[in-house]
Amino acid sequence: MSIVAKPVPGPLLLTPDDHTLIMIDFQSQMAFATHSIDAVSLRTNAALVAHAAAGFAASTILTTVAEKSFSGPMFDEIIAAFPKQTVLDRTSMNTWEDASVVRRVNEIGKGRLVLCGLWTSVCIVGPALSALAQGYEVYVLADACGDVSSEAHNRAMDRMVQAGARPMTSLQYLLEMQRDWARGETYELTTGIARKFAGAYGLGIIYAKTMFGAHEG
């Protein structure tokens, strides 16, 4: 029996309303020892993710560890995207072992999670493996995570993927939620975020629009 193709998206693709984004420990103390990605790229990618989630109204949880006593506040770029949102502070390295965070996950009630933060091998592996064990679908934004070395980051990503997590990138997260340039209501949002945070791709959008009024739709 032949397969009949249909012009519909696959069920593994993300949509703005089908997941909860959890941004974990984007804090100064954690960033100081992060060497798998440079600090500028890390902050830019985190900002892109935060503004994409805020712009598309995706459910989002922000959490820190020992903010006042050790690790410092969450990156300004993330707070700017969610100026009215409470940041949940923890003592546990594993976000999933914090009752207030898990309570919020349950309140939102979505079975698909997207994770990013510092460090990959501790603060992301912990909740990823814990959530997978409880039946959640888990996606990890690999370039919005960082660790003390490339080896630590890569082995952590391997470990999560082997357990069933799905790796993505920050720009992929933004474009997957837009997914069709004919969606005019979010076109300027998506290209605006890309212009500001998507590096060379953003420069390309600026050039095309400025020089000859290009429009993807």
Side-chain angles (χ1 to χ4, degrees):
M1 184 176 179
S2 62
I3 299 173
V4 178
K6 300 176 183 178
V8 296
L12 297 182
L13 293 173
L14 295 175
T15 65
D17 60 357
D18 74 354
H19 69 279
T20 298
L21 171 69
I22 308 180
M23 304 193 75
I24 302 170
D25 301 351
F26 284 104
Q27 299 168 264
S28 301
Q29 197 279 333
M30 306 299 292
F32 292 155
T34 296
H35 296 294
S36 63
I37 182 172
D38 68 87
V40 174
S41 296
L42 175 65
R43 293 181 70 176
T44 300
N45 293 343
L48 190 156
V49 170
H51 283 79
F56 279 92
S59 303
T60 303
I61 297 171
L62 307 179
T63 181
T64 54
V65 63
E67 175 186 358
K68 302 297 184 184
S69 61
F70 186 71
S71 299
M74 184 162 269
F75 293 176
D76 288 344
E77 296 91 337
I78 297 173
I79 298 300
F82 301 98
K84 297 180 180 180
Q85 183 154 330
T86 299
V87 178
L88 303 177
D89 195 47
R90 318 178 320 278
T91 60
S92 62
M93 287 182 278
N94 179 5
T95 294
W96 207 259
E97 294 179 49
D98 183 85
S100 63
V101 174
V102 171
R103 186 182 307 117
R104 184 66 185 127
V105 170
N106 288 331
E107 288 170 354
I108 295 171
K110 295 177 181 177
R112 178 174 281 180
L113 306 176
V114 178
L115 307 179
C116 59
L118 306 174
W119 295 324
T120 322
S121 61
V122 181
C123 307
I124 304 303
V125 162
L129 298 186
S130 301
L132 285 165
Q134 294 179 20
Y136 285 83
E137 290 182 67
V138 175
Y139 293 70
V140 179
L141 301 177
D143 66 344
C145 295
D147 215 314
V148 297
S149 67
S150 295
E151 182 74 10
H153 172 77
N154 292 337
R155 296 296 76 75
M157 290 301 304
D158 289 344
R159 186 179 179 190
M160 290 184 287
V161 169
Q162 288 168 2
R166 298 170 180 136
M168 294 180 65
T169 64
S170 302
L171 183 58
Q172 184 182 2
Y173 179 71
L174 168 66
L175 297 181
E176 195 156 312
M177 288 199 285
Q178 174 68 24
R179 214 163 60 232
D180 188 340
W181 294 121
R183 293 175 178 163
E185 67 276 10
T186 52
Y187 175 81
E188 292 298 336
L189 167 73
T190 300
T191 56
I193 292 171
R195 284 197 300 270
K196 190 171 184 179
F197 299 116
Y201 174 54
L203 288 175
I205 294 174
I206 293 170
Y207 175 83
K209 289 183 179 297
T210 303
M211 298 304 292
F212 46 89
H215 191 286
E216 288 86 343

